[in-house]
Amino acid sequence: KMKTNHEKLLHKLEKERQVLCRSIEERMKENGTLREQLQNLHHEVECCEEANPCASEKKHLIKNKKKDPMKRIQARRKLVDLSRSQNEMIAKLSGELDEMLRKTYPSFSKNHST
């Protein structure tokens, strides 16, 4: 009887260990995803900072507006490109969301056929 209790306890602890290992793997995957998102956000911030000069540079640009229109054109072009890339990302994420909804809740899908 003592051996069976020990075996039961060992089996229970093994199951708990497996659950914890799966949880750790999920967290590691989530951390990797979050690291990628963080890198993407840092890149987007850099793009925004390049496209939008800081306040002191804006004042300088206003003073020299007539002297250097190329800087304004470049800044506007960067903003347009950034806007386009963000729109593409939104469309992609929207598609992924629709796909996830179809997988999770097939009855709510837009193209659900009976």
Side-chain angles (χ1 to χ4, degrees), residues 46-66:
E46 289 173 2
C47 290
C48 288
E49 288 175 347
E50 289 175 4
N52 294 324
C54 68
S56 63
E57 290 177 357
K58 283 184 181 180
K59 289 178 185 176
H60 178 70
L61 285 176
I62 290 171
K63 289 179 184 176
N64 298 326
K65 201 174 198 179
K66 294 178 182 174

Side-chain angles (χ1 to χ4, degrees), residues 15-69:
K15 282 186 176 183
E16 288 178 12
R17 187 188 70 79
Q18 289 175 354
V19 168
L20 290 173
C21 285
R22 273 188 248 120
S23 176
I24 289 171
E25 288 176 12
E26 290 172 4
R27 297 284 166 88
M28 296 294 279
K29 288 179 185 177
E30 184 180 3
N31 285 344
T33 303
L34 291 173
R35 274 191 212 100
E36 288 176 16
Q37 289 176 352
L38 183 62
Q39 288 175 348
N40 290 339
L41 290 172
H42 281 299
H43 178 69
E44 288 180 23
V45 167
E46 289 173 2
C47 290
C48 288
E49 288 175 347
E50 289 175 4
N52 294 324
C54 68
S56 63
E57 290 177 357
K58 283 184 181 180
K59 289 178 185 176
H60 178 70
L61 285 176
I62 290 171
K63 289 179 184 176
N64 298 326
K65 201 174 198 179
K66 294 178 182 174
K67 292 181 181 177
D68 195 5

Side-chain angles (χ1 to χ4, degrees), residues 1-13:
K1 182 173 179 163
M2 187 176 215
K3 186 176 182 182
T4 59
N5 287 340
H6 175 70
E7 288 174 354
K8 287 179 184 178
L9 178 62
L10 183 62
H11 184 69
K12 179 183 172 186
L13 291 174

